[in-house]
Amino acid sequence: MEKKFLVGITGASGSIYAYYLLKELKELKIPTEVIITKAGKKVWNYELEKPVEDILNFADKLYKEEEISAPPASGSAPYCGMVIIPCSMGTLSAIAQGSARNLLQRAADVMLKERKPL
């Protein structure tokens, strides 16, 4: 089974970092899936002046934060690791407290539970 990498994008400033990470992962031929929050979409559009759908030029799948039953919410999903870039303090706090309220936070909880890199 092919291992995939998971990228989370939140509403913190710094969407350019996510953009270049996704671009590099694509160049390295690393299968990647992305979860983006509502605030992440707004910041992406504002900072990069690119539609969020452009993420699909670099990633195999794009999930919305409300898709709580999507594969990233399960420990059986074949992800080898996850990065949240940029990571808002609200997201960081929710993960640290174990109070996941959306798919991105739940996926991070799963990474920790499964002892995978986060």
Side-chain angles (χ1 to χ4, degrees):
M1 180 180 292
E2 185 177 48
K3 295 283 186 172
K4 300 176 196 170
F5 196 71
L6 188 59
V7 175
I9 301 173
T10 71
S13 183
S15 295
I16 192 75
Y17 300 117
Y19 176 81
Y20 281 109
L21 173 65
L22 291 169
K23 190 173 177 182
E24 187 67 23
L25 290 169
K26 178 75 171 185
E27 288 177 19
L28 293 170
K29 296 180 175 35
I30 297 172
T32 304
E33 294 184 356
V34 175
I35 304 168
I36 191 165
T37 64
K38 291 175 190 171
K41 288 179 187 180
K42 289 180 183 179
V43 174
W44 178 280
N45 288 330
Y46 177 77
E47 289 184 348
L48 299 179
E49 297 180 347
K50 298 175 184 289
V52 171
E53 293 74 27
D54 278 3
I55 290 171
L56 291 171
N57 293 330
F58 307 108
D60 302 312
K61 181 77 176 159
L62 177 61
Y63 298 101
K64 299 174 186 170
E65 69 178 307
E66 54 274 353
E67 293 180 71
I68 200 68
S69 64
S74 172
S76 64
Y79 300 107
C80 58
M82 179 181 185
V83 65
I84 303 172
I85 183 171
C87 185
S88 67
M89 288 305 295
T91 297
L92 179 62
S93 174
I95 295 166
Q97 297 297 319
S99 61
R101 293 185 199 104
N102 62 39
L103 177 61
L104 191 149
Q105 295 166 5
R106 172 68 184 138
D109 284 351
V110 168
M111 291 295 156
L112 294 172
K113 176 181 75 82
E114 297 293 322
R115 300 185 183 272
K116 294 180 181 177
L118 172 64

